[in-house]
Amino acid sequence: MYANARNPQAANVEYRSAGAYVAELYYVQLGDEDSRNRLDIFNRVAAHQTTTDNPGLLPERIVSPIVNFVDLARPLVNAIGPLDLGSGGWSYARVTQHTQVGLQAGEKTELASRKMLITKTALGADTYGGYVNVSKQDINRTSPAILDMVINDLAGQYAIETEEVAADVLWAGGTAGPVLPTGVNTAQQIATAVFTAAGSVFAATKGQGTTIIAMSPDMLGIIGPVFPPVNPSNGFGVGFSASGVATGDVGNISGIRSIMSAALDTGQVVVYSTAAVKAFEYKYGNLQVVEPSVWGVQVGYAGDFDIVVIDAAGVQKITKTP
């Protein structure tokens, strides 16, 4: 029935058939000690097969989605609302002198009169873009498809770059406004700084456009807790919420739209009107060309982008002393 059947102390035990093994189990149930010892030896010396012994039989699967931290939101740019550059040369017009209305000195006396002046300012939009040459083998063999991932990543990097440009222009072209004192600021101090800046923006733009407060991620941790989303009757606004952080929207302060942008540097808060800033853009999107000489596909992504501060007083910077 099995090798070494009469020697329970043997170094190894081999069963000649599955039936012999089943019979051994039967004898164990009857209380046969030799059968129990032989079964213990057999199980003890059995080779254990694990996944490390046969990696060639284990299919590899990349779990989706791919981890890729790219900020596509462009909260600063989207809040301004870029205008389409279109084709040809680019300029924007601005009224620099308005007509005049005044009190008439008396009947039949001449009314106030002044012509309107409108200037034309040329724009010098820059092109932002990048490209990658992807082999046809990589395109054919990858899952998820590498070509789509490269194109999407190029678009994401374009968004990051243009958002950085917008943040730099806003900060450089803005006017120094309120300063938050050193230490932990009170709700009153923060609200005073925000509304002082908003008042200056209103005065500069005559209420035109949408007033926005934009802050860096670190300043969200200072301003956000002052405006919890519980809407108390004695609060300064309906409060902030983390639900819109992916798009940059974090709530509002008594009607002032509040956004957070990672493009703003540490400690930066800016209150501005969309009427005081103009953004212009023309997206070429992605462009592909096959290169047989290297058996690849060269793919690029680009766009023309420009942003200008039209009225510096309509962009108020809030800073915090260290």
Side-chain angles (χ1 to χ4, degrees), residues 6-293:
R6 303 303 178 187
N7 184 10
Q9 304 303 321
N12 59 72
V13 174
E14 295 180 4
Y15 292 96
R16 296 171 183 172
S17 66
Y21 181 76
V22 172
E24 190 80 284
L25 293 174
Y26 173 73
Y27 289 129
V28 170
Q29 295 296 320
L30 294 178
D32 186 82
E33 193 64 28
D34 288 344
S35 295
R36 184 182 302 279
N37 292 335
R38 285 191 296 270
L39 200 60
D40 287 343
I41 294 172
F42 176 78
N43 290 327
R44 187 165 58 247
V45 300
H48 295 277
Q49 185 85 16
T50 66
T51 55
T52 58
D53 298 312
N54 47 264
L57 300 179
L58 301 176
E60 186 173 8
R61 179 172 178 263
I62 304 299
V63 180
S64 296
I66 304 300
V67 178
N68 188 9
F69 298 119
V70 178
D71 183 6
L72 305 175
R74 295 205 306 178
L76 291 176
V77 175
N78 291 337
I80 296 167
L83 302 174
D84 187 8
L85 280 169
S87 58
W90 308 303
S91 300
Y92 72 90
R94 181 184 180 186
V95 176
T96 56
Q97 179 175 289
H98 294 275
T99 57
Q100 187 178 30
V101 172
L103 177 67
Q104 186 181 28
E107 283 188 72
K108 302 296 288 184
T109 60
E110 188 173 350
L111 295 172
S113 178
R114 184 169 63 194
K115 62 184 177 181
M116 176 182 282
L117 299 179
I118 303 175
T119 60
K120 183 173 69 172
T121 303
L123 292 170
D126 297 310
T127 300
Y128 299 87
Y131 73 99
V132 177
N133 198 307
V134 186
S135 73
K136 291 288 287 184
Q137 293 92 333
D138 199 15
I139 295 172
N140 183 59
R141 299 170 187 173
T142 52
S143 179
I146 187 64
L147 189 61
D148 290 341
M149 292 181 63
V150 168
I151 293 172
N152 290 336
D153 199 67
L154 285 168
Q157 295 304 312
Y158 172 86
I160 291 173
E161 185 66 24
T162 50
E163 179 77 355
E164 290 280 357
V165 172
D168 291 344
V169 169
L170 273 175
W171 194 257
T175 301
V179 178
L180 293 171
T182 303
V184 179
N185 300 122
T186 65
Q188 187 65 48
Q189 289 172 331
I190 294 174
T192 298
V194 169
F195 284 102
T196 298
S200 298
V201 170
F202 292 151
T205 59
K206 306 300 186 289
Q208 298 298 307
T210 301
T211 300
I212 295 171
I213 175 172
M215 63 202 76
S216 58
D218 66 298
M219 293 304 290
L220 179 62
I222 294 175
I223 297 177
V226 176
F227 304 96
V230 294
N231 196 20
S233 59
N234 62 340
F236 290 104
V238 298
F240 283 6
S241 173
S243 61
V245 168
T247 59
D249 282 299
V250 293
N252 70 78
I253 302 173
S254 295
I256 301 176
R257 182 184 174 189
S258 305
I259 62 176
M260 183 273 291
S261 174
L264 289 168
D265 293 334
T266 300
Q268 292 184 343
V269 178
V270 59
V271 180
Y272 64 96
S273 169
T274 55
V277 186
K278 293 297 180 186
F280 306 87
E281 184 175 46
Y282 179 79
K283 285 185 181 180
Y284 298 103
N286 77 83
L287 184 65
Q288 299 180 35
V289 58
V290 177
E291 287 197 309
S293 60

